[in-house]
């Protein structure tokens, strides 16, 4: 599996800075209170952010990018299918003029009753 970089240089520098800040804060707190597990978890999260910044790869960003790619491919496939079916028409001919007339007639034929104008 080839891992490609998915975050920019500025984002990486911010992650390294914030990661080292959280890591140093959590380590200082962990020295004073070693029984607290929350500081250990914060140290691990800070170290993870430092690693993400150095490698310029974020697994969470990769998951979201893959999800967005699969969603856009599915939507693109559906929209292309709709356009092709609209252009094809009956017997493979282009009858867009007839479709426009059908749409116009549907808009004119509404089920709402005509109400008299009553300014009050």
């Amino acid at each position: 599996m080839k891992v490609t970089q998915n975050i920019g240089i500025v984002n990486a520098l911010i992650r390294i800075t914030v990661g080292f800040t959280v890591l140093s804060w959590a380590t200082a707190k962990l020295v004073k209170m070693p029984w607290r597990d929350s500081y250990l978890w914060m140290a691990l999260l800070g170290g993870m952010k430092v690693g993400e910044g150095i490698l310029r790869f974020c697994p969470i960003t990769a998951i979201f990018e893959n999800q967005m790619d699969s969603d856009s491919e599915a939507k693109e496939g559906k929209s292309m299918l709709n356009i092709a079916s609209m252009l094809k028409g009956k017997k493979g001919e282009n009858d867009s003029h007839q479709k426009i007339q059908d749409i116009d007639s549907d808009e004119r034929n509404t089920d709402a009753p005509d109400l008299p104008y009553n300014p009050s």
Side-chain angles (χ1 to χ4, degrees), residues 9-52:
I9 189 72
V10 175
N11 193 340
L13 292 174
I14 291 170
R15 286 174 192 253
I16 291 171
T17 304
V18 171
F20 273 130
T21 303
V22 170
L23 185 63
S24 63
W25 172 80
T27 305
K29 290 291 188 175
L30 197 58
V31 167
K32 290 184 179 183
M33 295 178 272
W35 59 88
R36 299 282 305 256
D37 290 337
S38 60
Y39 296 130
L40 180 62
W41 285 107
M42 290 301 290
L44 289 173
L45 290 175
M48 185 180 73
K49 289 298 164 190
V50 171
E52 288 175 3

Side-chain angles (χ1 to χ4, degrees), residues 51-101:
E52 288 175 3
I54 291 171
L55 296 176
R56 291 184 56 194
F57 176 77
C58 177
I60 304 297
T61 304
I63 290 170
F64 280 117
E65 286 176 351
N66 289 340
Q67 184 68 30
M68 293 297 287
D69 288 343
S70 65
D71 286 347
S72 65
E73 287 173 1
K75 288 180 184 176
E76 182 179 322
K78 289 178 184 176
S79 65
M80 292 303 290
L81 183 69
N82 290 339
I83 291 171
S85 64
M86 285 174 46
L87 292 176
K88 191 180 287 186
K90 295 180 182 176
K91 298 181 186 175
E93 299 174 0
N94 188 354
D95 60 345
S96 61
H97 183 67
Q98 179 64 33
K99 288 182 182 181
I100 291 172
Q101 288 177 347

